[in-house]
PDB file of all heavy atoms in Angstrom:
ATOM      1  N   ALA Q 410     153.918 172.237  67.020  1.00  0.00           N
ATOM      2  CA  ALA Q 410     155.030 172.736  66.205  1.00  0.00           C
ATOM      3  C   ALA Q 410     155.140 171.961  64.897  1.00  0.00           C
ATOM      4  O   ALA Q 410     155.390 172.548  63.830  1.00  0.00           O
ATOM      5  CB  ALA Q 410     156.330 172.647  66.997  1.00  0.00           C
ATOM      6  N   TRP Q 411     154.945 170.651  64.965  1.00  0.00           N
ATOM      7  CA  TRP Q 411     155.046 169.831  63.755  1.00  0.00           C
ATOM      8  C   TRP Q 411     153.900 170.139  62.786  1.00  0.00           C
ATOM      9  O   TRP Q 411     154.112 170.263  61.577  1.00  0.00           O
ATOM     10  CB  TRP Q 411     155.070 168.364  64.113  1.00  0.00           C
ATOM     11  CG  TRP Q 411     154.987 167.445  62.924  1.00  0.00           C
ATOM     12  CD1 TRP Q 411     154.081 166.457  62.695  1.00  0.00           C
ATOM     13  CD2 TRP Q 411     155.869 167.425  61.790  1.00  0.00           C
ATOM     14  NE1 TRP Q 411     154.323 165.826  61.504  1.00  0.00           N
ATOM     15  CE2 TRP Q 411     155.425 166.412  60.914  1.00  0.00           C
ATOM     16  CE3 TRP Q 411     156.984 168.179  61.419  1.00  0.00           C
ATOM     17  CZ2 TRP Q 411     156.050 166.117  59.710  1.00  0.00           C
ATOM     18  CZ3 TRP Q 411     157.611 167.892  60.207  1.00  0.00           C
ATOM     19  CH2 TRP Q 411     157.143 166.877  59.367  1.00  0.00           C
ATOM     20  N   LEU Q 412     152.701 170.302  63.297  1.00  0.00           N
ATOM     21  CA  LEU Q 412     151.564 170.613  62.424  1.00  0.00           C
ATOM     22  C   LEU Q 412     151.719 171.997  61.791  1.00  0.00           C
ATOM     23  O   LEU Q 412     151.280 172.220  60.658  1.00  0.00           O
ATOM     24  CB  LEU Q 412     150.246 170.523  63.201  1.00  0.00           C
ATOM     25  CG  LEU Q 412     149.841 169.116  63.669  1.00  0.00           C
ATOM     26  CD1 LEU Q 412     148.433 169.138  64.255  1.00  0.00           C
ATOM     27  CD2 LEU Q 412     149.922 168.105  62.531  1.00  0.00           C
ATOM     28  N   GLU Q 413     152.360 172.918  62.511  1.00  0.00           N
ATOM     29  CA  GLU Q 413     152.616 174.239  61.934  1.00  0.00           C
ATOM     30  C   GLU Q 413     153.569 174.127  60.744  1.00  0.00           C
ATOM     31  O   GLU Q 413     153.401 174.816  59.725  1.00  0.00           O
ATOM     32  CB  GLU Q 413     153.206 175.165  63.001  1.00  0.00           C
ATOM     33  CG  GLU Q 413     152.187 175.697  64.003  1.00  0.00           C
ATOM     34  CD  GLU Q 413     152.811 176.639  65.016  1.00  0.00           C
ATOM     35  OE1 GLU Q 413     153.973 177.045  64.795  1.00  0.00           O
ATOM     36  OE2 GLU Q 413     152.142 176.970  66.013  1.00  0.00           O
ATOM     37  N   ILE Q 414     154.559 173.263  60.871  1.00  0.00           N
ATOM     38  CA  ILE Q 414     155.491 173.048  59.762  1.00  0.00           C
ATOM     39  C   ILE Q 414     154.759 172.462  58.555  1.00  0.00           C
ATOM     40  O   ILE Q 414     154.973 172.874  57.411  1.00  0.00           O
ATOM     41  CB  ILE Q 414     156.646 172.124  60.203  1.00  0.00           C
ATOM     42  CG1 ILE Q 414     157.540 172.849  61.208  1.00  0.00           C
ATOM     43  CG2 ILE Q 414     157.466 171.646  59.001  1.00  0.00           C
ATOM     44  CD1 ILE Q 414     158.618 171.985  61.817  1.00  0.00           C
ATOM     45  N   LEU Q 415     153.875 171.496  58.819  1.00  0.00           N
ATOM     46  CA  LEU Q 415     153.106 170.914  57.722  1.00  0.00           C
ATOM     47  C   LEU Q 415     152.246 171.982  57.043  1.00  0.00           C
ATOM     48  O   LEU Q 415     152.156 172.034  55.806  1.00  0.00           O
ATOM     49  CB  LEU Q 415     152.222 169.776  58.241  1.00  0.00           C
ATOM     50  CG  LEU Q 415     152.942 168.512  58.730  1.00  0.00           C
ATOM     51  CD1 LEU Q 415     151.931 167.468  59.172  1.00  0.00           C
ATOM     52  CD2 LEU Q 415     153.851 167.933  57.642  1.00  0.00           C
ATOM     53  N   THR Q 416     151.629 172.835  57.846  1.00  0.00           N
ATOM     54  CA  THR Q 416     150.793 173.902  57.290  1.00  0.00           C
ATOM     55  C   THR Q 416     151.617 174.834  56.415  1.00  0.00           C
ATOM     56  O   THR Q 416     151.167 175.264  55.334  1.00  0.00           O
ATOM     57  CB  THR Q 416     150.116 174.704  58.421  1.00  0.00           C
ATOM     58  OG1 THR Q 416     149.285 173.817  59.189  1.00  0.00           O
ATOM     59  CG2 THR Q 416     149.257 175.823  57.850  1.00  0.00           C
ATOM     60  N   GLU Q 417     152.828 175.161  56.863  1.00  0.00           N
ATOM     61  CA  GLU Q 417     153.710 176.035  56.082  1.00  0.00           C
ATOM     62  C   GLU Q 417     154.043 175.434  54.717  1.00  0.00           C
ATOM     63  O   GLU Q 417     154.356 176.160  53.765  1.00  0.00           O
ATOM     64  CB  GLU Q 417     155.000 176.296  56.861  1.00  0.00           C
ATOM     65  CG  GLU Q 417     154.808 177.174  58.091  1.00  0.00           C
ATOM     66  CD  GLU Q 417     156.044 177.212  58.975  1.00  0.00           C
ATOM     67  OE1 GLU Q 417     157.052 176.551  58.610  1.00  0.00           O
ATOM     68  OE2 GLU Q 417     156.005 177.875  60.021  1.00  0.00           O
ATOM     69  N   HIS Q 418     153.968 174.092  54.643  1.00  0.00           N
ATOM     70  CA  HIS Q 418     154.255 173.415  53.382  1.00  0.00           C
ATOM     71  C   HIS Q 418     152.976 173.064  52.621  1.00  0.00           C
ATOM     72  O   HIS Q 418     152.990 172.220  51.717  1.00  0.00           O
ATOM     73  CB  HIS Q 418     155.070 172.148  53.646  1.00  0.00           C
ATOM     74  CG  HIS Q 418     156.501 172.417  54.020  1.00  0.00           C
ATOM     75  ND1 HIS Q 418     156.871 172.800  55.287  1.00  0.00           N
ATOM     76  CD2 HIS Q 418     157.640 172.373  53.279  1.00  0.00           C
ATOM     77  CE1 HIS Q 418     158.186 172.963  55.320  1.00  0.00           C
ATOM     78  NE2 HIS Q 418     158.667 172.723  54.129  1.00  0.00           N
ATOM     79  N   GLY Q 419     151.883 173.704  53.009  1.00  0.00           N
ATOM     80  CA  GLY Q 419     150.632 173.504  52.294  1.00  0.00           C
ATOM     81  C   GLY Q 419     149.896 172.235  52.645  1.00  0.00           C
ATOM     82  O   GLY Q 419     149.004 171.801  51.904  1.00  0.00           O
ATOM     83  N   ILE Q 420     150.228 171.632  53.788  1.00  0.00           N
ATOM     84  CA  ILE Q 420     149.596 170.370  54.198  1.00  0.00           C
ATOM     85  C   ILE Q 420     148.676 170.636  55.373  1.00  0.00           C
ATOM     86  O   ILE Q 420     149.129 171.011  56.460  1.00  0.00           O
ATOM     87  CB  ILE Q 420     150.663 169.329  54.599  1.00  0.00           C
ATOM     88  CG1 ILE Q 420     151.603 169.050  53.433  1.00  0.00           C
ATOM     89  CG2 ILE Q 420     150.000 168.041  55.070  1.00  0.00           C
ATOM     90  CD1 ILE Q 420     152.819 168.233  53.804  1.00  0.00           C
ATOM     91  N   THR Q 421     147.397 170.452  55.182  1.00  0.00           N
ATOM     92  CA  THR Q 421     146.417 170.693  56.246  1.00  0.00           C
ATOM     93  C   THR Q 421     145.517 169.493  56.496  1.00  0.00           C
ATOM     94  O   THR Q 421     144.605 169.569  57.318  1.00  0.00           O
ATOM     95  CB  THR Q 421     145.548 171.916  55.904  1.00  0.00           C
ATOM     96  OG1 THR Q 421     144.910 171.697  54.644  1.00  0.00           O
ATOM     97  CG2 THR Q 421     146.396 173.182  55.829  1.00  0.00           C
ATOM     98  N   ILE Q 435     159.007 167.228  52.292  1.00  0.00           N
ATOM     99  CA  ILE Q 435     157.980 166.431  52.934  1.00  0.00           C
ATOM    100  C   ILE Q 435     157.030 165.881  51.875  1.00  0.00           C
ATOM    101  O   ILE Q 435     156.547 166.626  51.016  1.00  0.00           O
ATOM    102  CB  ILE Q 435     157.184 167.273  53.948  1.00  0.00           C
ATOM    103  CG1 ILE Q 435     158.134 167.926  54.957  1.00  0.00           C
ATOM    104  CG2 ILE Q 435     156.146 166.426  54.661  1.00  0.00           C
ATOM    105  CD1 ILE Q 435     157.462 168.941  55.856  1.00  0.00           C
ATOM    106  N   ALA Q 438     153.855 167.701  50.273  1.00  0.00           N
ATOM    107  CA  ALA Q 438     153.984 169.166  50.280  1.00  0.00           C
ATOM    108  C   ALA Q 438     153.912 169.692  48.854  1.00  0.00           C
ATOM    109  O   ALA Q 438     154.175 168.961  47.889  1.00  0.00           O
ATOM    110  CB  ALA Q 438     155.305 169.574  50.924  1.00  0.00           C
ATOM    111  N   ILE Q 439     153.545 170.946  48.711  1.00  0.00           N
ATOM    112  CA  ILE Q 439     153.485 171.563  47.392  1.00  0.00           C
ATOM    113  C   ILE Q 439     154.884 172.001  46.976  1.00  0.00           C
ATOM    114  O   ILE Q 439     155.519 172.808  47.636  1.00  0.00           O
ATOM    115  CB  ILE Q 439     152.527 172.771  47.393  1.00  0.00           C
ATOM    116  CG1 ILE Q 439     151.133 172.337  47.874  1.00  0.00           C
ATOM    117  CG2 ILE Q 439     152.442 173.380  46.003  1.00  0.00           C
ATOM    118  CD1 ILE Q 439     150.512 171.222  47.069  1.00  0.00           C
TER     119      ILE Q 439
END
Side-chain angles (χ1 to χ4, degrees):
W411 172 236
L412 293 188
E413 284 182 12
I414 291 174
L415 292 182
T416 299
E417 290 170 0
H418 287 79
I420 301 170
T421 57
I435 305 171
I439 304 303

